[in-house]
Amino acid sequence: EDRQSAYTSEVEGVSYPPPTPPPSTLVGPTYFWAGNLPSLRTQDNVPGMYIAASGYLTSWPGAAIMLSVDNGVSYQQVETITQPSTMGSLTSPVTADGEPLSVFMVSGELDSVSDNQLANRMNAWAVTTDATSELGQFKTATITTPRNYDLTDLVRGVLGTTPASHNTGDPFVMVATSIFLPLDISLAGRVIIFKAVTFGTSEDDAEEYPVLFSPLFTTITIEQYTDDAGNPYTDDQNNPYYYEVSA
């Protein structure tokens, strides 16, 4: 008997795909934006701000949006965001009448549209510089490198906003993916502070996002409460009180 053949296997191996790695447990911080914009929808024509959020990592699970109206002494949850907004930041400055608008996308992709789609208000964006937001649209999106785009054939200063120069790092948001957050009219003219707390992380670790609440309306105006001499009434922190005036 051939001893060597007794130790030689005739069984053929079966190839299996490599094992799938477990999902990442890293959730990362939340990229957040809040802007004072004109009403984008009829139901939004009340005091409030538009907000957007996304994760830097693909494993981002969502975030609780916290708001402080007492200079960060206390926070209350005002919204939950689980679907990432299409948003990023400018990678180079742009003038009030210039293009391209060059952006890096933290989340989401951008596509070109037709003239008819542009006329139907598609591809509307907001860029915020020094707390003031400009609304616009783009027709053509050109990928320059992964997640980086040059946006051209721009429409600037939409819905009564003012075309402005913007800087590298200014936030860029596709407004169709933003959320309207109603706010009490008494907060108008005051700095409020947001925190976007990624699920599974500590509120204490979340970055503060202070913003001046300056509501923009199409049929409503606000005025300060004043005494007979015209002096504004203020709270203990010298914030003026406002009230809504009927159209």
Side-chain angles (χ1 to χ4, degrees), residues 111-175:
D111 296 302
S112 301
V113 295
S114 66
D115 289 333
N116 287 337
Q117 289 172 318
L118 195 70
N120 287 327
R121 296 189 175 182
M122 291 186 64
N123 275 2
W125 49 262
V127 173
T128 302
T129 305
D130 298 330
T132 300
S133 297
E134 177 190 353
L135 284 172
Q137 293 172 267
F138 67 88
K139 178 183 175 184
T140 306
T142 303
I143 299 178
T144 54
T145 58
R147 301 172 69 179
N148 285 271
Y149 295 81
D150 278 349
L151 309 180
T152 54
D153 303 316
L154 302 177
V155 181
R156 304 288 301 268
V158 173
L159 291 182
T161 59
T162 302
S165 296
H166 302 292
N167 306 312
T168 300
D170 287 345
F172 168 91
V173 178
M174 296 297 287
V175 295

Side-chain angles (χ1 to χ4, degrees), residues 51-230:
I51 61 174
S54 68
Y56 291 92
L57 304 178
T58 56
S59 54
W60 181 75
I65 308 304
M66 315 296 291
L67 176 64
S68 174
V69 298
D70 56 9
N71 292 326
V73 175
S74 62
Y75 283 86
Q76 299 293 326
Q77 183 171 340
V78 292
E79 186 60 83
T80 297
I81 298 179
T82 57
Q83 294 299 316
S85 302
T86 301
M87 59 193 303
S89 61
L90 269 60
T91 57
S92 62
V94 63
T95 62
D97 58 355
E99 57 176 64
L101 198 63
S102 299
V103 299
F104 168 79
M105 299 305 296
V106 172
S107 178
E109 299 178 349
L110 303 177
D111 296 302
S112 301
V113 295
S114 66
D115 289 333
N116 287 337
Q117 289 172 318
L118 195 70
N120 287 327
R121 296 189 175 182
M122 291 186 64
N123 275 2
W125 49 262
V127 173
T128 302
T129 305
D130 298 330
T132 300
S133 297
E134 177 190 353
L135 284 172
Q137 293 172 267
F138 67 88
K139 178 183 175 184
T140 306
T142 303
I143 299 178
T144 54
T145 58
R147 301 172 69 179
N148 285 271
Y149 295 81
D150 278 349
L151 309 180
T152 54
D153 303 316
L154 302 177
V155 181
R156 304 288 301 268
V158 173
L159 291 182
T161 59
T162 302
S165 296
H166 302 292
N167 306 312
T168 300
D170 287 345
F172 168 91
V173 178
M174 296 297 287
V175 295
T177 65
S178 66
I179 295 173
F180 182 72
L181 178 68
L183 295 170
D184 193 277
I185 191 64
S186 65
L187 298 175
R190 297 171 58 178
V191 173
I192 56 179
I193 304 174
F194 288 97
K195 281 188 175 184
V197 184
T198 304
F199 296 151
T201 66
S202 170
E203 178 184 328
D204 294 336
D205 295 333
E207 183 179 355
E208 292 185 341
Y209 190 101
V211 59
L212 177 66
F213 177 37
S214 302
L216 305 177
F217 305 106
T218 56
T219 61
I220 302 173
T221 58
I222 59 172
E223 293 184 2
Q224 286 187 354
Y225 278 110
T226 61
D227 59 22
D228 292 338

Side-chain angles (χ1 to χ4, degrees), residues 13-37:
V14 178
S15 297
Y16 289 95
T20 301
S24 173
T25 58
L26 297 176
V27 294
T30 295
Y31 183 53
F32 179 78
W33 167 86
N36 297 293
L37 300 179

